[in-house]
């Protein structure tokens, strides 16, 4: 207690000196400010049981409604996922899918029927989902030329694009690089009750990509003209900014399993409608064991079907409430724990 | 000859100068040989030979860098750190295609970090340069061509220049004294800056040059000095002066050293021998050993741990990468055909998978480099500088009287202050003021002086007595404070209160004649010089020691004012006790028999106005009582009683006596004495001593004086607090055992209830052996005796119940033996068991040795504190050296790491600043590792999903700004401002300091805990983000998460998580913390917006990613919220349960504070009080 007195009196004395002696200004005495004396007003949070409980309960109360809300939103989303890479290979090729896909002569058309489980309100988004496809591989990600895509002037900037940079006679490939070269080329045709569903391919790419990253005066050139053909070919008369499939593809995926937008269906589908999908199964995922899926999905405010987030919110929220309750119970049952281990160890110390 | 010169006194009469006459010694034979080759052409610096010898100029530079080498040298310093070297290599390699990111994004932060450190170095060096400039541009008078003295700058001085230095000026270089204002060519020098001694030293010129005293006489003066080469020995000098074809020996007595000051002498003429860096003081100025704190050393280890982690994960990554790449071509089939494995570079070549894997390993080393915090070193340096500013600015460590604030002279030991385990303290000037105060005396068997000494007061306090003279004590304390409330003017060196003899009342005392004689002895028997302060009319004294000054002052205050000294007489104002008038009396000083440590006494023989011959003598009680005459022992028994009491009160005692000499006895003695003094035979000193002995006998006892070596204010309280904080205190002093023990009691180091273990060699058998002089036998016997005493001590401790405390007292000689190899260990076993240790009679070297051994033996942090030049070794040896910037010189302060004005400030320095700095730095480092691991591992997890190809998950610039902008300021704020509890509570509960001593905040479990937390955070961030966002659309418009969006989302989570984690760990939220923490997060969004709005060729993958893709998506925000809360939960729950079930001291004290703040709910606080009590108990256990 005496130090308290000492310091406070010290402060008082200092204060008196400060006010009384302006003459002593030039002394080496440190000037008083709350900053230099480390006495700034501050809030000093302490983990009291009250605070602990309050924060746990608070997190619980916030999280559980969010969890329910997102689960509910996810519930409203109707999603049809259909894997077709196996089914679309004829029986006789099932042991050598690679030969089937690499053979230009084989018939790649394949028809699948999908049942709409619930009513799907437009727009219905069509995705293709690839598996085990490393679009995030460093060699792959870097194998593009943004400058070339943007303007015709830098058509020859293809240094990053090797080995898909130039043709044999040294003229630049536009768009160059492995990403463009391996453009996805499966196509889907949809019909319900023998009525063909229109697939809109407009506005499936990001606006910024279309406007800024892909030039409206850049046209495909020498594309897929080499001996090895990777994926889809491009219509050389359409500028890159309008090749939305390419733009979507060029926006590389983060993980080896990814979905990409294929198009939109602008009409509603009723429950139990049977959709006939005619698939051109061109793309080779067989060599690396990648699955191919066709996804039809509606969206809600949280996007596509996403139960994970809701469940996760609910779990963590519940956990927090549980913690809060157990804390309260502890507090009620044993306000001051006798079984405090540190307590005991000190006692033991004095005993010996 | 000028008039001023003649008024000097022939001090040679007072001091026995004959012994100072220069003689050629053995060393002089070496002149001209190796190591003694310097030749100085006096007054002729333009002599062609002098020019040829090219001695250095007088320019002194203490800067670390020069303009030319600054860049190279400071860069070299920077890259000596492993981490910085690593980043440099990374930056270089990043220009190659190996790099996973752009070179600029690595180079940017590195340049920023290096630049900041270099700027700091530059500013510091600039300050040093300014100081140098000031010193170098001081003015001095040099004898020039026109045969007058002209002013010039110090730095322009050359070897051989003849200069004039006036009173109170510093010598600009090492000089040989030619002549002075005194006719016999002496001068007084104060060497405070060299050795810290405040007393004046006497220097004198050669007789041949002492007549040179004006400008004309120098006109033709030419001489050559041959002397030793520049060296660092302050106490030796060998040279010869060749003048007029003769050679005269020169020694240190003729030398005036740079940075010492001319005192009491109007002016001197001297010739420059050593300049600039050749001067002895500069030769001594070697860089102090650079000290690094334990935390920093440990931090290096952690950096190595991180490097190993880095190498490990890079290795794991490249193994997987190699396997994956190898599989890309099998049997001529291309697996991942989209990578074109058939036409690839060496980095991804399946045919050379092993080589690719190795190259990938290098790439990975760069990619995961974010595990190593690039900004750690520079942040710590910034933080420490700011912390030092806080220490310097602390008003509570400012000493009003000396106008000195505390000063952190090095900033890299701040946190070490929080871990001190043992304090090794000097006594004089550190625990005590080193101002001797005359407090008591015993005259004619009557004790005078009421004042209570510090020791008595401490004893009274221990016994719990009410202080008997409370009012007196109060006025005493105030008097010490210099409080004007006290009507009696406080006089330095005088704290004597007794109305019986003060204010001239002594004449009414029964033995007034003896009182008169007593004070006359004090007023006459000394070697002090009076100095009249112009204007005030007061007289002050220049004395060789503070004791002596105290005597003269005491005599003055009683009414025997010594005011004038001529070469052969002393003049006093005296109170004539018959007429009660002040009269002038003159005493003719005939002889001075000087004080020496072997004689332990001093006498003067004077003739008073009544033509009586008197021998006045004062000396130590041990030698004086044997010299009393039969009739002179009248008051012996009473005086001895008083002396015993004084000694117990911790006072220094001097006995005074006198003798009347008969003319017939004196004459023949004087003749013999003069002859002995002037003789040149080797045993001159012995014969002088014998003659002195002959006359100093048959004395009549007058009385005894008691002088207090006053304890500094607040020392006992401070020591008590430090002891409560679990700090052990050792006192190392040169004093006698009795004095040391007394002071030990006074400052509560020793307590009445403590058992003392005394180890000493003062036993009869060893004394007997010493007389025989057989060194081996002495050593052996001492060794045996010490060993025995130590083992006895240990068994004594072991036999007693553990509640008792022990104090160990050991003297210098025993210490010397105890520190020898085979007893060392048992000595430390003993010392560790004692709560306080006092080593008395120890030399400076022993002090340093003990310090080193304590440091090595305990392995804990040691702090030594001292004020004088004799403590320098100890200060440099200890982990932390604290200098007292008190009355003694600056030597200790210059060698120290921190300087404070008073010992009591140590409490605040350690318990408050030390504690805070330790917490801050260790938390800061832990947090640094946390944040970099949390970030670095997200990269690794992402790699696992990118077939370890080395593709970073984030945009290059997000990554490089991570350490520099998004997370740097909050951690700096933590390091500078965080406080677990306020200063008041730090002092109130010294137990908190144990956190530092036990190194709780920087123990391996704590560090690994934080690292583990970092890994957990990274897992939560990566997996929860990907799981909740990947594959399905993340917006209403059906867009899916791609590479760019995932990067931004994860990065957002990282920034939030590490900053919120910081907010959780901060104990002290001022607006600065709020600004930095929330500002950093806000800055990330601002950065995203600005960077994203730059054209796509600049912003690449970040182009509009936030504004277009993320911000409108509800999922993005929900994921951020979810992930951030999840990363916080582990630490929060851990802390919640830990404060609940295993509260630390801090938790308890914080709770206590809170409960104190709330209305005093007594039922709530009681258990806490009990707990605190237990904590104290535990602390006591620890001490044992």
């Amino acid at each position: 207690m005496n130090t308290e007195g000492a310091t406070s009196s010290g402060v008082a004395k200092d204060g008196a000196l400060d006010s009384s002696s302006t003459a002593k200004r030039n002394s080496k005495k440190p000037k008083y400010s709350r900053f230099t004396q480390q006495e700034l007003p501050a809030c000093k949070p302490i983990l009291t049981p009250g605070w602990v409980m309050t924060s746990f309960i608070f997190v619980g109360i916030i999280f559980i409604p969010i969890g329910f809300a997102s689960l509910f939103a996810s519930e409203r989303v109707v999603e049809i996922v259909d894997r077709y890479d196996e089914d679309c290979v004829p029986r006789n090729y099932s042991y050598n899918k690679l030969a089937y896909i690499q053979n230009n002569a084989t018939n790649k058309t394949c028809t699948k029927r999908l049942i709409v489980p619930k009513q799907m309100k437009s727009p219905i988004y069509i995705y293709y989902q690839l598996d085990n496809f490393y679009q995030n591989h460093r060699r792959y990600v870097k194998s593009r030329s943004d400058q070339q895509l943007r303007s015709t002037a830098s058509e020859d900037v293809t240094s990053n694009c090797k080995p898909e940079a130039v043709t044999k006679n040294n003229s630049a490939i536009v768009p160059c690089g492995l990403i463009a070269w391996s453009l996805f080329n499966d196509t889907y045709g949809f019909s319900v009750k023998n009525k063909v569903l229109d697939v809109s391919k407009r506005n499936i790419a990001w606006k910024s990509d279309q406007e800024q990253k892909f030039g409206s005066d850049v046209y495909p050139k020498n594309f897929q003209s080499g001996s090895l053909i990777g994926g889809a070919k491009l219509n050389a008369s359409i500028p890159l900014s309008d090749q939305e499939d390419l733009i979507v593809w060029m926006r590389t995926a983060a993980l080896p399993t990814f979905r990409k937008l294929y198009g939109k269906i602008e009409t509603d589908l009723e429950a139990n409608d049977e959709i006939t999908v005619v698939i051109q199964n061109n793309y080779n995922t067989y060599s690396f064991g990648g699955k191919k899926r066709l996804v039809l999905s509606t969206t809600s405010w949280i996007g596509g079907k996403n139960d994970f987030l809701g469940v996760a919110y609910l779990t963590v929220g519940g956990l927090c409430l549980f913690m809060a309750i157990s804390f309260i119970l502890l507090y009620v049952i044993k306000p001051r724990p006798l079984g405090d281990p540190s307590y005991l160890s000190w006692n033991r110390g004095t005993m010996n | 000859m000028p008039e001023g010169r003649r008024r000097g006194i022939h001090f040679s009469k007072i001091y026995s100068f004959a012994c100072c006459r220069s003689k050629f010694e053995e060393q002089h034979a070496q002149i001209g040989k190796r190591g003694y080759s310097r030749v100085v052409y006096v007054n002729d610096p333009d002599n062609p030979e002098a020019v040829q010898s090219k001695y250095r100029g007088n320019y002194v530079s203490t800067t670390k860098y020069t303009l030319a080498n600054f860049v190279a040298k400071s860069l070299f310093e920077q890259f000596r750190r492993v981490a910085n070297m690593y980043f440099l290599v990374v930056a270089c390699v990043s220009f190659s295609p190996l790099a996973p990111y752009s070179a600029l994004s690595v180079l940017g932060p590195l340049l920023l970090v290096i630049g900041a450190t270099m700027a700091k170095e530059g500013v510091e060096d600039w300050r040093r340069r300014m100081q140098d400039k000031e010193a170098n541009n001081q003015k001095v008078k040099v004898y020039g061509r026109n045969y007058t003295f002209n002013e010039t700058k110090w730095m322009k001085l050359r070897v051989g220049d003849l200069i004039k230095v006036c009173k109170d000026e510093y010598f600009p270089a090492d000089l040989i004294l030619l002549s002075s204002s005194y006719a016999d060519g002496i001068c007084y020098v104060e060497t405070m800056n060299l050795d810290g001694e405040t007393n004046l030293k006497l220097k004198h010129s050669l007789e041949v040059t002492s007549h040179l005293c004006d400008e004309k006489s120098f006109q033709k003066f030419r001489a050559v000095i041959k002397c030793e080469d520049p060296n660092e020995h302050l106490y030796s000098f060998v040279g010869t002066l060749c003048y007029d074809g003769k050679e005269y020996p020169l020694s240190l007595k003729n030398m005036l050293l740079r940075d010492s000051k001319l005192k009491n002498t109007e002016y001197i003429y001297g010739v420059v021998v050593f300049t600039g860096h050749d001067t002895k003081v500069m030769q001594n100025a070697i860089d102090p050993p650079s000290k690094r704190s334990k935390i920093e050393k440990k931090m290096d280890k952690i950096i190595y741990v991180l490097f190993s982690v880095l190498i490990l994960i890079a290795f794991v990554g490249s193994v997987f990468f190699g396997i994956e790449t190898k599989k890309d071509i099998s049997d001529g089939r291309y697996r991942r055909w989209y990578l074109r494995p058939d036409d690839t570079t060496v980095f991804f070549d399946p045919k050379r998978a092993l080589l690719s894997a190795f190259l990938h390993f290098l790439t990975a080393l760069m990619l995961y480099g974010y595990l190593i915090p690039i900004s750690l070193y520079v942040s710590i340096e910034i933080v420490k500088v700011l912390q030092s500013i806080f220490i310097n600015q602390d008003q509570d460590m400012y000493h009003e009287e000396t106008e000195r604030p505390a000063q952190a002279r090095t900033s890299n030991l701040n946190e070490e202050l929080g871990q001190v385990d043992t304090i090794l303290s000097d006594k004089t000037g550190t625990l005590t003021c080193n101002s001797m105060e005359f407090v008591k005396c015993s005259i004619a068997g009557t004790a005078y002086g009421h004042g209570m000494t510090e020791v008595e007061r401490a004893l009274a306090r221990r016994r719990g007595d009410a202080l008997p003279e409370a009012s007196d004590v109060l006025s005493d304390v105030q008097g010490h404070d210099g409080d004007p409330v006290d009507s009696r003017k406080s006089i330095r060196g005088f704290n004597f209160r007794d109305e019986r003899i003060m204010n001239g009342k002594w004449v009414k005392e029964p033995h007034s004649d003896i009182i008169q004689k007593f004070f006359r002895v004090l007023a006459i028997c000394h070697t002090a010089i009076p100095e009249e302060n112009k204007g005030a009319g007061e007289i002050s004294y220049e004395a060789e020691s503070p004791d002596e000054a105290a005597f003269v002052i005491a005599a003055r205050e009683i009414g025997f004012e010594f005011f004038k000294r001529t070469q052969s007489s002393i003049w006093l104002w005296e109170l004539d006790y018959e007429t009660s008038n002040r009269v002038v009396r003159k005493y003719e000083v005939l002889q001075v028999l000087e004080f020496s440590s072997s004689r332990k006494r001093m006498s003067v023989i004077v003739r008073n106005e009544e033509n009586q011959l008197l021998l006045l003598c004062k000396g130590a009680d041990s030698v004086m009582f044997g010299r009393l005459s039969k009739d002179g022992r009248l008051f012996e028994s009473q005086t001895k009683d008083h002396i015993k009491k004084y000694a117990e009160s911790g006072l220094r005692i001097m006995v005074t006596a006198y003798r009347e000499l008969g003319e017939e006895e004196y004459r023949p003695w004087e003749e013999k004495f003069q002859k002995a003094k002037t003789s040149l035979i080797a045993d001159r000193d012995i014969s002088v001593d014998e003659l002195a002995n002959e006359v100093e006998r048959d004395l009549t006892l007058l009385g005894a004086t008691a002088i207090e070596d006053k304890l500094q204010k607040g020392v006992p309280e401070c020591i008590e607090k430090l002891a409560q904080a679990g700090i052990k205190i050792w006192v190392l002093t040169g004093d006698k055992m009795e004095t040391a023990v007394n002071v030990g009691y006074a400052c509560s180091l020793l307590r009445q209830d403590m058992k003392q273990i005394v180890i000493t060699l003062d036993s009869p058998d060893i004394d007997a052996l010493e007389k025989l002089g057989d060194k081996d036998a002495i050593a052996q016997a001492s060794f045996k005796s010490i060993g025995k005493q130590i083992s006895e001590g240990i068994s004594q401790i072991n036999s007693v119940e553990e509640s008792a405390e022990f104090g160990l007292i050991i003297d210098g000689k025993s210490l010397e033996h105890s520190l020898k190899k085979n007893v060392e260990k048992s000595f430390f076993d003993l010392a560790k068991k004692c709560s306080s240790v006092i080593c008395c009679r120890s030399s400076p070297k022993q002090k340093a040795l003990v310090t080193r051994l304590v440091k090595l033996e305990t392995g804990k942090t040691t702090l030594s504190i001292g004020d004088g030049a004799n403590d320098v070794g100890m200060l440099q040896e200890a982990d932390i050296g604290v200098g007292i910037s008190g009355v003694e010189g600056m030597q200790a302060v210059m060698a120290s790491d921190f300087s404070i004005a008073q010992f009591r400030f140590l409490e605040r320095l350690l318990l408050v600043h030390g504690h805070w700095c330790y917490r801050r730095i260790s938390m800061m480092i832990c947090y640094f590792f946390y944040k970099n691991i949390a970030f670095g591992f997200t990269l690794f997890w992402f790699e696992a999903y990118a077939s370890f190809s080395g593709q970073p998950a984030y945009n290059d610039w997000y990554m490089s700004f991570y350490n520099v902008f998004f997370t740097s300021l909050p951690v700096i704020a933590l390091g500078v401002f965080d406080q677990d509890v306020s200063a008041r509570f730090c002092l109130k509960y010294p137990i908190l300091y144990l956190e530092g001593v036990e190194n709780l905040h920087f123990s391996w479990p704590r560090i690994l805990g934080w690292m583990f937390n970092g890994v957990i955070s990274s897992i939560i961030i990566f997996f929860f983000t990907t799981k909740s966002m990947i594959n399905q659309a993340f917006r209403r418009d059906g867009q899916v998460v791609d590479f760019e969006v995932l990067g931004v989302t994860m990065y957002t989570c990282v920034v939030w998580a590490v900053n919120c984690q910081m907010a959780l760990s901060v104990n002290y939220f001022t607006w600065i913390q709020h600004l930095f923490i929330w500002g950093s997060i806000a800055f990330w969004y601002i950065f995203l917006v600005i960077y994203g709005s730059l054209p796509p060729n600049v912003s690449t993958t970040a182009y509009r990613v936030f504004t277009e893709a993320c911000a409108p998506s509800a999922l993005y925000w929900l994921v951020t919220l979810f992930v951030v809360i999840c990363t916080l939960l582990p630490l929060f729950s851990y802390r919640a349960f830990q404060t609940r079930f295993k509260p630390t001291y801090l938790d308890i004290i914080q709770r206590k504070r809170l409960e104190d703040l709330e209305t005093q709910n007594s039922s709530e606080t009681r258990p806490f009080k009990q707990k605190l009590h237990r904590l104290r108990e535990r602390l006591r256990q620890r001490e044992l």
Side-chain angles (χ1 to χ4, degrees), chain A residues 82 84 88 110 112 126-130 184-191 196-199 201 260-263 276-283 292-296:
Chain A
D82 182 60
Y84 64 88
C88 287
C110 153
K112 296 212 69 173
I126 307 162
Y127 302 92
Y128 52 90
Q129 177 172 337
L130 299 183
F184 187 71
N185 59 355
D186 284 6
T187 57
Y188 313 117
F190 299 91
S191 54
V196 173
L197 288 174
D198 283 334
V199 175
K201 292 254 188 182
K260 281 187 183 291
L261 256 180
Y262 177 82
T276 311
V277 191
V278 180
I279 300 169
Q280 288 297 321
N281 184 16
N282 298 322
Y283 202 69
K292 287 197 271 194
R293 286 187 181 87
L294 171 67
V295 180
L296 295 177

Side-chain angles (χ1 to χ4, degrees), chain B residues 20-51:
Chain B
C20 301
R21 194 167 291 158
S22 298
K23 283 170 283 188
F24 277 107
E25 284 162 26
E26 285 168 43
Q27 286 159 309
H28 283 88
Q30 287 175 290
I31 285 185
K33 294 187 184 144
R34 203 156 163 269
Y36 296 87
S37 60
R38 200 176 179 90
V39 181
V40 179
Y41 297 90
V42 179
N43 201 10
D44 195 12
D46 298 321
N47 182 307
E49 279 181 63
V51 173

